[in-house]
Structure formats: C-alpha cells, structure tokens
Amino acid sequence: MSTFNLKINNKKHTVEADADTPLLWVLRDQIDLVGTKYGCGIGQCGACTVHVDGNAMRSCLLPISQAEGMRITTIEGLSEDGNHPVQQAWKEIDVPQCGYCQSGQIMTASAFLNQNSNPSNSEIRDAMHGNICRCASYNSIEKAVKVASEKIS
Amino acid sequence: MNLSKQQTFSRRSFLKTSALASGGMLISFNLFTACKSDVKPPIDISQLNFNDFNAFIKISDEGKVTIFSPNPEIGQGVKTSMPMLIAEELDVAWEDVYVEQGKLDTKNYTRQVAGGSQSIRHGWEPLRQTGATAKQMLINAAAVKWGVDASECTAKLGVITNSKGETLGYGDVVKDAALLEVPEDVTLKHPKDFTIVGNGAGNVDIDKIITGKPLFGLDYKEEGMVYASVLRPPAFGQELESFDDSKAKAIPGVIDVITIGEKVKDYYKQDEKSWTAQISASNKVAVIAKTTWDAIKGMKAIKAAWKNESPLESTENHDKILFDLLDGDVFKTRRSDGNVKKAFAQADKIIERTYEAPFLPHNCMEPMNFFANVTKDKVHLVGPIQTPEATAIAISSFLGRAIEDIQVEMTRMGGGFGRRLYSDFVFEAAEISNAIKKPVKMISTRENDMSTGVYRPSTKYRIAASIKDGKLTGYHLKEACINGNMYGLIPHFFPAGALENYQVDTTHYKSNITTGAWRAPFTNFLASAEQSFFDEIAEALGVDRVQFHMDLLEKVKQNPNPNIDYNPERLQDVIKLAVEKSHWGKTKAGTYQGFSVYYCHNTHVAEVADITMKNGLPIVEKVTCAIDCGIVVNPLGALNQAKGGVIDGVGHAMYSDFAFNQGVPQSNNFNTYQLIRMGQTPQVDVHFVKRDVAPTGLGEPTLPPVGAAVANAIYKATGKRLRKQPYINNLNLEKVIG
C-alpha cells in the first residue's frame, strides 16, 4: 500500500492503495464518485471514460500510480449542475435507456467536441465507436453529439 | 384472435385512499393485482391493510403529485410511461408530477417481474382507472364544499371548476377527498382528449443519469460494507475439487477467502425445478476484500483444481446432436393443421432449408452484482433484479429464514434483456454475507459475467415448403434446441392460419450449459429463420416478396381462424407502411433492400433493411421499421425502444458469436465477443400505425424480424443466402458480387 495524491474535479484527494489499482476503483470505492462505471476492465467498452488532462481516457486501464499530478475530471465534475452542452443535449434528445453506459458516452463526447467542435457525422461515428451501448441507443447518441456541437460552436 | 382484450377490474380490489398526517391524500393501489392479466375477483377491502398495496399516489395540500412506482426499470422506460397513464386521467400537468422508485419489500406481493413486454399492455386500463378514480374523488369533494352536484363540475390540469366558474385546486380539497367513498364508476377519457399520453416525456431519471448520481446496483453502498469476487467453475460440467488461497490471502486488502455453494446445492435438492438454483448449485470460492480491486485480484490469485462431474460439451458436438435430432423422428408436435405429409407427397417441388443460431450471452453493461446484509433480524438485499419476489422466496428457503425477514430493494438496472430474471448472483451475495456476518457487495467481473451466464440457447430450424401448381401448399417447421423449446402461443403466429397444411414440431437436447430467456425468447431467431425462408419461397414461386405476404394475409382475412395469435389486417397495415416509408423497390443503384414482417409480444412489425457493399462487406445503412402497438403512450420512450431493438437485432444477427469448447466459453470479454458499435449502426426510421386501441409491448417486438431483413438484403447484393448467424462468419468474401 502506498499513498497517492490525486487532483479530481479540482479537488485534492489523498488515498491509500496498491500502486496497480486502476483509477476506476479508487474513484468508485474510495472517493465515492460512482458515476464512472465498470463495464469490461480491459478498455473495450468505454463505460469508465474520464478526462485526464482534457483527454478521454479509460480509467480501468490507468494505474493509480500514474494518475498522480494529472488533472482528472469525472462525470460529476464535468459541469456545476449538469449544464454542460453535452449533458444538455443528452437530456434534450432523451438519449438513455438503461443509462448505465451514458456517463462514459458523455465523457467521450465532451472530450471529442473539445478538440473538434464542428464534426461531420462520420467523425462523430468514429469518435464514439469505442463506447458500447448494450441498449443500442446509438442513433440518439449520434444525434445528441451533433446537437451538442451546435450548442458549442 | 382477441388482440385488444381488456380485463375489467373492480377499483375496490386494488385501491384505497387515506388522509395523510402530514397533509394531503394518499391513494394506494396494488399495481401487480391491477395489472395482472388473470386477476381474481375483488377481495374485501376491509380485510386489506396497507401492506397489500405497493404503489402510491401522494397529492399534497399544495396539489403536488408524487407517484411511487414499484415496477422494475431495466431501461424499457416503464418508470416514465406507467406514471404517465395515471397522470393523464388524474388530469394534472406532467411537469407537476414527481416519480420515485417505490421502496420495496416484496414479501406481500406477486408478479413483480419486468419481462415479456407486458407492463404497458396490462397496466393500460387499471392505471388509468386509478387516476380517474382519484380525479372523481377530488371533484366529489369540491362539489360537497360548493353544495352542488358533482356532475356540474369538471377538472383539468389540477383545477376543479363548477358551473358558476368558481375554481378549487386539487390541494384545496385533497383532505376532504381522502375521506370519501371510492367511486365504482368513473369515465375514462377518449383517446382524442389525451394530453399526456401520446406526448413524448423524457426519462424521469435523466438528470441523475447525466450527472453520474448513484442509481445502479453497482453504486449502492452501506457503512462497513466489504466487497466479494467469486471464482466459479471455468467449464460447464466441472466442480471445485480443491484450492490454494495462500497467494490471495497475501494481498493486503483481502480479508478472507471462503467456500460457498452448499446452501444453494441443498436448496436445489429441494426444488429441482429452480433454474436459478441449477445455475448456481456448485461450490465456488469467494474472496472477501476491502475494495473491489482487492477482491478481483484475490480471486485471480486463487489456484483451484477442478474435477469433471458431467460431460464437457462443445459447440461442434452440439451441432452434430441438433442435426441428428432434426434428421430423426422424435418430435413433439406443437400444432398440426391439415395434412402436411400428404401435401409434401403430392408436391411438384419441395424446398427445405436449415437455419442456425449460436448461444448468446446477455452482456448487460452493468455486470451481475448484489448487496446483501444477513443479520439476526433480517436479510437485507439491494440491487438490480427483474424477479424480486421469486428471489425473496428462494433466499428465505435456502437460508432457512422466515419470508418476513427477507427485504428486497430494487435499484435501476444497467440492462436486463432477461439475464436478471435469474438471481444466482443474489444467492451468492446472501450466502457470503450469511457466512461472514458482514454487509457485502458481490461484483462479477465481465469475464465471470460472460462465461458463467445464462445463454440464449443454440437453436436450429429446419423448414420445408411444398409447392404444387405454382402454389404454396404445405409448411413444416422443425425446431431443435439446446434445453428449451418454443412455448405458449408461438406456434400460432403467422403463417399459422394462412396455410391449409401447416405443422410445427420441436425437439431438444438436455445440456449442462445453462440457458434461458434472452430478449424476445425463441422468436429472436425464429423470425429470422422464417422470414428468410419466405424470401426463398417467393423466389421459387416467382412472385413478388411483399405481395406474396399480402396475399397470404388476405387469405387469413377471408377465412378467419380463431386459433391464431396475430391480426392479419394489422400485419398488412404495417407492411404497407414499411413499403411506403422505405421506398421499397425504388432505391438508387448500389442500395439493396430486404424485407421482413413479424408479430410477437402482441405487437405487429414490418421492417426493410437497406444495405450497401463497401470493400466487399455489407453495410446496413438504414432500417425502416413500421409498428402497430396501438396507442403510443410515450413516443420518446417508444422510439428509443424500437430503435434499440432494431440495432440490437442487427448486431446479434451480424456479429455476435458464442461457442463452447470442452465446456469452456470461447469468449469472455469484449475483445473476443463482438457487440454492435456506433460505426456499424444503421439509421433506424420508425413509423407507427395510428390506431386508437389499447397499447401493446415494445421492449422486444422490433428485434426478431430484423435479422431476416438484413439477410434478405445481403442476398440481393451478393446472391448468397445466409442461414447461419452470425452472418459475418459465413460471408464468403470472394463470392461477393455487390
């Protein structure tokens, strides 16, 4: 066990954990930020996506020992009151069915739009290809990313 | 044929009102009694106490309405759509309604199940009656206050008005209303007067979902809770022999390592019919730890030896066994009209084809998990489960506890698709907590979730058609399946009733691989097989595919058959709508269309898939989907269900495969198992037939037909008939001509 200092959603957290513990489980079990979901543990489904220094990253693959000193944002820290344009677009389009994968989808979409605020449909489809939605809300996700991009640009 | 069959209920059997000490009125009702299709005659309300009710409407002194819904929410949207039915007849603004998941204690209730696309169908009448009764009581209370007859008063959007134009809000009369008799006769609104039903309402949990608030079973926590990960036999047919836990125990966060399974095995001896017990009746190693990660690491560090208890089965063997069964003569006849044998003997031509589908895991995005806290006083269980009642009864039996001690609370579920009808993971959590005397959360890894699941059974259909004088004269379908077989009314779906000589036979092989319900059980592949076969029959007859179907349905209309479970006219209407909206036959060069139509779960659906070929691979660009599900309660939720079902169907038909070798699943995570992703997703264009009749289900019916629509389109593009799912495995790319 070692001590790690993390900066999550602009707050400092000190946690005790084994160095190989993925950021995902530190967020969920130790810091009570459960919006970041476990789906596969091998970086294939995207349910655990967070922003690390502004980039979308799979928190299930990021050992806590490498997360020190990085600026980490989770779904809980994406906006003050759920008013990020991507969150608002998700609400407007009524994207979720079961809702479990959606925080990961929103984190992927928001990081992507940060880098490309006026994407084409095929760029949206490429960007969201790594996030699985078992309810298959893909049409709505695609539309919501487009709506969010219009809100941003 | 009775499609809009509605049950009538006495409101007294499921309704009770009372004044609240804190102000306002509480209307209590038993949603599951109300919504049950075979509800018993009214019971004496004086004999009921509030434990007999499980759904509540609270109207406060300010007129605010809270609806507590007890129904399992697995993403099908009933937590939004069922309260809409109440709010419509209560006549309040939807914006003023707050919906909460009712706290659950299932010990008194029956049929707390999410499954079969039946919630809205069964809830349609009684939930509206509940709202209408409450509204009438509020009107009656206002009439008494004004000293006028209730018939002179009307209510709209939470305000009651009398003939002089005076008004009272619901909140002004709610205390008096609570003390009035429950009226027996209330008038329900005409569909043309609906203001909430038919208007899209967003998911009631949307704000929590988009901000990451705790909602799901995996998110639930209690003080002092520990985590558990369970090592289960790696192969179906194997049992735990021994294990070495020294490496696991050396991990600092690991608290304990225990063996579980004995209690479930004992329970299975008592109730051999319990599928859930069968799934979990073996010894397993549970690693208890301070965090999920420690528990997972500990579980992976266990060195276990396994022994073979029953044959280790492989897909290769299953294929041979199922083909042998199809070639044999041991079948159960599920329906037989006319004389198929004779029709085939007299035929000019016989077409016979075999269709094959693999096992499929459910792969809910939220892996199986549950919280359990077994104490001297009670057994507290919290998590995602589609069948809390059956689970509570089973847990009570295998822990040897009184049913009153078992408390089950349901969280929102990260998907169900049938997997959470089985409660093996609740058994595990309860047995662990019982052993360690601590609150515990059992979490399956994705690998464990996928490789120790309950699967859609691998199935083969052999369908034969006899043709005489250019006409279809006979149809014979044989099903060979692992473990289960099609059930209930399925043999009475189309083409039953359309053909003089028609027979459905089934046979199965009993395997030690656990199988069960998977979104649209049996029809999820049966529709693919039959609707692909109809494409071949039409081709052999040299007739237009769509017209062929329309003509067969016309025949059913001319010769009504009481023993069918679909409506030929409604099927014709969805076909016409799909043909019109998809521009059937009028697409541009390079786009190939496939047609399919199916009825299941009381809903009629026709679909047209548009595909293009890119680099020799078929791309499903678009699916046009025409649906007749009666009145669409929540168009937003309905669109989500319809589109999700279509894409889910395309994905599993095209890409998803699940094989066994020596009892071991050959895929256990999303690197070896393919679920459809955004880039493979067609645009789904959904159209509803406008029909003012009682609504039917939407959680499942759009999925079954789409596999055939895709296969039929690929045939047009490539000249290759696809009869084995997943299609991607048997596309011989050299032969692609598109």
Side-chain angles (χ1 to χ4, degrees):
Chain A
M1 293 278 254
S2 312
T3 303
F4 298 98
N5 295 307
L6 302 172
K7 196 177 169 197
I8 300 165
N9 300 336
N10 289 321
K11 267 191 208 155
K12 283 180 182 160
H13 294 270
T14 303
V15 295
E16 296 274 322
D18 282 344
D20 65 349
T21 310
L23 173 65
L24 166 69
W25 295 113
V26 172
L27 292 172
R28 292 190 54 87
D29 293 351
Q30 293 181 254
I31 310 180
D32 276 345
L33 293 171
V34 296
T36 306
K37 301 300 192 214
Y38 167 68
C40 70
I42 58 167
Q44 287 283 327
C45 78
C48 67
T49 305
V50 297
H51 296 175
V52 176
D53 293 336
N55 297 312
M57 200 172 265
R58 306 287 195 245
S59 65
C60 73
L61 293 181
L62 183 65
I64 197 68
S65 53
Q66 290 177 27
E68 273 196 315
M70 291 171 162
R71 189 164 47 87
I72 296 158
T73 307
T74 70
I75 185 76
E76 293 91 342
L78 185 64
S79 65
E80 279 289 318
D81 308 303
N83 54 7
H84 186 282
V86 173
Q87 288 166 312
Q88 286 307 302
W90 245 246
K91 188 172 176 173
E92 228 171 278
I93 303 297
D94 195 43
V95 173
Q97 291 183 42
C98 88
Y100 189 80
C101 73
Q102 299 297 348
S103 54
Q105 304 274 4
I106 290 169
M107 295 310 281
T108 299
S110 50
F112 164 64
L113 290 176
N114 222 11
Q115 285 156 8
N116 180 358
S117 61
N118 190 19
S120 68
N121 286 351
S122 80
E123 283 171 333
I124 291 173
R125 284 166 76 89
D126 286 349
M128 302 307 296
H129 192 74
N131 286 64
I132 295 175
C133 173
R134 176 65 184 83
C135 302
S137 65
Y138 296 119
N139 279 186
S140 299
I141 292 170
E142 195 176 335
K143 201 164 153 191
V145 177
K146 191 83 194 159
V147 168
S149 75
E150 284 155 11
K151 286 178 190 289
I152 289 167
S153 58
Chain B
M1 196 174 24
N2 192 348
L3 290 155
S4 55
K5 186 163 64 182
Q6 279 298 329
Q7 310 297 326
T8 53
F9 309 91
S10 164
R11 274 164 295 289
R12 280 180 175 273
S13 67
F14 64 92
L15 258 182
K16 183 170 177 173
T17 60
S18 63
L20 283 170
S22 56
M25 170 190 189
L26 188 71
I27 302 149
S28 317
F29 57 106
N30 188 323
L31 187 120
F32 303 106
T33 301
C35 300
K36 206 171 174 178
S37 57
D38 56 347
V39 69
K40 295 275 186 303
I43 24 179
D44 181 1
I45 197 161
S46 64
Q47 298 300 308
L48 300 179
N49 61 48
F50 268 90
N51 283 340
D52 294 304
F53 300 97
N54 56 14
F56 305 97
I57 307 168
K58 193 169 82 183
I59 305 173
S60 72
D61 285 349
E62 293 79 39
K64 293 277 175 214
V65 178
T66 307
I67 298 174
F68 295 86
S69 168
N71 226 48
E73 173 63 55
I74 53 174
Q76 82 281 44
V78 293
K79 192 174 168 185
T80 306
S81 54
M82 292 178 90
M84 284 172 77
L85 298 178
I86 295 171
E88 176 68 64
E89 295 287 348
L90 181 60
D91 221 321
V92 287
W94 179 245
E95 294 70 29
D96 293 341
V97 176
Y98 182 69
V99 180
E100 267 192 30
Q101 179 79 56
K103 267 249 173 188
L104 290 166
D105 172 356
T106 64
K107 60 183 185 274
N108 290 310
Y109 314 126
T110 55
R111 199 185 175 273
Q112 278 189 287
V113 176
S117 298
Q118 295 301 307
S119 299
I120 285 295
R121 179 171 172 244
H122 288 150
W124 171 245
E125 188 104 351
L127 293 183
R128 287 162 62 226
Q129 283 187 355
T130 301
T133 303
K135 174 179 163 182
Q136 190 59 51
M137 290 174 81
L138 292 160
I139 290 176
N140 291 353
V144 169
K145 217 168 195 171
W146 281 318
V148 301
D149 197 89
S151 63
E152 293 169 30
C153 308
T154 56
K156 201 166 182 54
L157 293 172
V159 177
I160 305 155
T161 310
N162 65 21
S163 53
K164 291 181 219 155
E166 294 169 313
T167 60
L168 282 167
Y170 282 1
D172 301 328
V173 293
V174 69
K175 271 185 198 149
D176 302 330
L179 305 173
L180 297 177
E181 280 274 309
V182 176
E184 276 295 319
D185 296 309
V186 294
T187 311
L188 297 180
K189 284 184 180 177
H190 189 277
K192 71 175 168 45
D193 298 323
F194 286 158
T195 55
I196 294 173
V197 170
N199 285 311
N203 189 317
V204 292
D205 280 335
I206 186 78
D207 288 326
K208 289 177 183 167
I209 291 170
I210 61 174
T211 56
K213 297 282 182 307
L215 268 178
F216 299 92
L218 209 75
D219 306 340
Y220 184 81
K221 284 182 187 184
E222 275 192 19
E223 194 60 38
M225 184 180 93
V226 293
Y227 296 84
S229 184
V230 176
L231 181 67
R232 308 183 184 104
F236 286 84
Q238 283 188 328
E239 275 276 341
L240 180 66
E241 189 169 63
S242 61
F243 66 93
D244 172 2
D245 61 9
S246 52
K247 283 208 169 125
K249 282 186 166 165
I251 296 168
V254 170
I255 299 166
D256 203 356
V257 178
I258 62 168
T259 310
I260 57 163
E262 284 305 323
K263 286 197 178 293
V264 184
K265 278 159 67 177
D266 288 346
Y267 171 64
Y268 185 41
K269 279 179 203 151
Q270 293 166 40
D271 183 4
E272 290 196 343
K273 283 185 191 150
S274 166
W275 277 90
T276 292
Q278 191 198 329
I279 296 160
S280 40
S282 70
N283 285 348
K284 304 158 200 173
V285 184
V287 177
I288 326 298
K290 288 181 189 161
T291 68
T292 313
W293 181 244
D294 292 326
I296 293 172
K297 268 209 302 190
M299 183 267 294
K300 287 180 177 168
I302 299 285
K303 294 258 174 295
W306 310 92
K307 57 187 174 189
N308 296 350
E309 286 286 300
S310 57
L312 306 186
E313 301 183 359
S314 301
T315 294
E316 211 181 321
N317 292 41
H318 285 156
D319 282 347
K320 185 180 178 318
I321 289 165
L322 293 181
F323 275 120
D324 285 350
L325 283 170
L326 287 175
D327 291 339
D329 54 8
V330 184
F331 288 96
K332 185 170 177 183
T333 296
R334 303 283 173 162
R335 177 167 173 141
S336 177
D337 296 351
N339 190 335
V340 162
K341 214 172 167 181
K342 199 171 151 195
F344 278 77
Q346 294 173 347
D348 301 330
K349 186 177 178 184
I350 290 169
I351 311 170
E352 184 183 273
R353 301 286 184 262
T354 304
Y355 298 86
E356 303 173 69
F359 290 96
L360 289 178
H362 298 84
N363 281 328
C364 304
M365 284 313 288
E366 179 190 13
M368 297 308 111
N369 69 88
F370 229 80
F371 169 87
N373 190 11
V374 180
T375 61
K376 207 156 58 31
D377 301 329
K378 64 175 184 178
V379 177
H380 188 210
L381 304 166
V382 185
I385 183 74
Q386 288 176 252
T387 52
E389 188 216 2
T391 302
I393 293 168
I395 296 280
S396 133
S397 174
F398 94 73
L399 287 182
R401 298 285 296 253
I403 188 74
E404 291 74 24
D405 290 356
I406 317 291
Q407 294 189 358
V408 182
E409 286 178 48
M410 285 181 299
T411 55
R412 190 176 178 88
M413 291 179 244
F417 310 104
R419 178 62 182 90
R420 290 184 160 107
L421 292 168
Y422 311 94
S423 47
D424 46 308
F425 45 91
V426 193
F427 287 19
E428 290 174 349
E431 199 170 347
I432 294 167
S433 177
N434 186 59
I436 64 170
K437 310 290 177 213
K438 284 193 179 89
V440 66
K441 166 76 72 64
M442 193 292 294
I443 297 177
S444 282
T445 59
R446 173 60 59 194
E447 288 82 0
N448 285 346
D449 184 278
M450 204 186 291
S451 62
T452 60
V454 182
Y455 307 101
R456 190 274 297 269
S458 170
T459 308
K460 298 191 195 303
Y461 291 104
R462 178 165 292 162
I463 322 179
S466 58
I467 293 169
K468 172 87 177 161
D469 300 329
K471 295 246 173 336
L472 175 64
T473 56
Y475 186 92
H476 190 182
L477 181 137
K478 294 176 186 174
E479 176 190 78
C481 184
I482 300 294
N483 294 330
N485 279 119
M486 69 163 86
Y487 54 85
L489 297 169
I490 295 173
H492 309 307
F493 293 176
F494 184 86
L499 298 158
E500 205 179 316
N501 305 301
Y502 170 80
Q503 190 168 327
V504 174
D505 295 333
T506 64
T507 184
H508 68 272
Y509 165 74
K510 182 99 187 70
S511 166
N512 58 12
I513 292 167
T514 46
T515 57
W518 192 100
R519 195 176 195 175
F522 290 97
T523 59
N524 59 46
F525 179 59
L526 176 61
S528 278
E530 291 198 289
Q531 288 297 310
S532 298
F533 189 61
F534 269 96
D535 223 54
E536 296 209 40
I537 303 175
E539 190 181 34
L541 292 171
V543 295
D544 177 78
R545 170 71 167 94
V546 171
Q547 194 55 45
F548 176 49
H549 244 91
M550 292 296 279
D551 292 346
L552 284 171
L553 290 164
E554 198 57 35
K555 220 174 123 188
V556 183
K557 278 162 68 180
Q558 303 309 323
N559 307 286
N561 185 326
N563 195 21
I564 60 171
D565 194 61
Y566 63 93
N567 182 314
E569 198 172 340
R570 292 176 82 169
L571 273 183
Q572 284 186 326
D573 286 352
V574 291
I575 291 172
K576 283 184 230 164
L577 188 60
V579 163
E580 178 204 330
K581 298 294 181 185
S582 68
H583 308 290
W584 173 254
K586 295 172 201 152
T587 50
K588 57 181 186 217
T591 297
Y592 304 90
Q593 290 187 312
F595 170 85
S596 180
V597 57
Y598 205 66
Y599 161 92
C600 61
H601 302 275
N602 314 98
T603 294
H604 301 73
V605 178
E607 288 169 348
V608 173
D610 289 15
I611 73 151
T612 57
M613 298 300 292
K614 282 200 183 112
N615 305 322
L617 271 178
I619 308 294
V620 186
E621 301 276 0
K622 184 180 146 193
V623 175
T624 307
C625 176
I627 303 170
D628 183 350
C629 61
I631 290 169
V632 179
V633 175
N634 181 8
L636 270 181
L639 269 181
N640 277 341
Q641 288 304 303
K643 291 182 175 190
V646 166
I647 298 168
D648 191 8
V650 170
H652 283 94
M654 284 290 289
Y655 306 111
S656 301
D657 198 4
F658 202 73
F660 288 85
N661 186 21
Q662 294 292 303
V664 181
Q666 298 302 288
S667 316
N668 66 8
N669 208 327
F670 300 126
N671 54 347
T672 48
Y673 182 89
Q674 199 181 346
L675 275 171
I676 193 166
R677 291 171 180 271
M678 174 76 88
Q680 297 152 326
T681 298
Q683 297 300 325
V684 186
D685 184 25
V686 179
H687 300 273
F688 292 96
V689 171
K690 288 192 178 31
R691 207 182 290 275
D692 277 350
V693 298
T696 55
L698 262 184
E700 290 159 297
T702 65
L703 184 149
V706 79
V710 169
N712 295 339
I714 292 175
Y715 171 70
K716 280 197 192 156
T718 66
K720 189 173 171 62
R721 289 282 182 195
L722 299 176
R723 303 189 188 100
K724 187 172 184 177
Q725 291 184 355
Y727 297 141
I728 201 77
N729 280 1
N730 48 90
L731 274 171
N732 186 345
L733 298 182
E734 282 86 28
K735 286 188 188 161
V736 164
I737 56 170

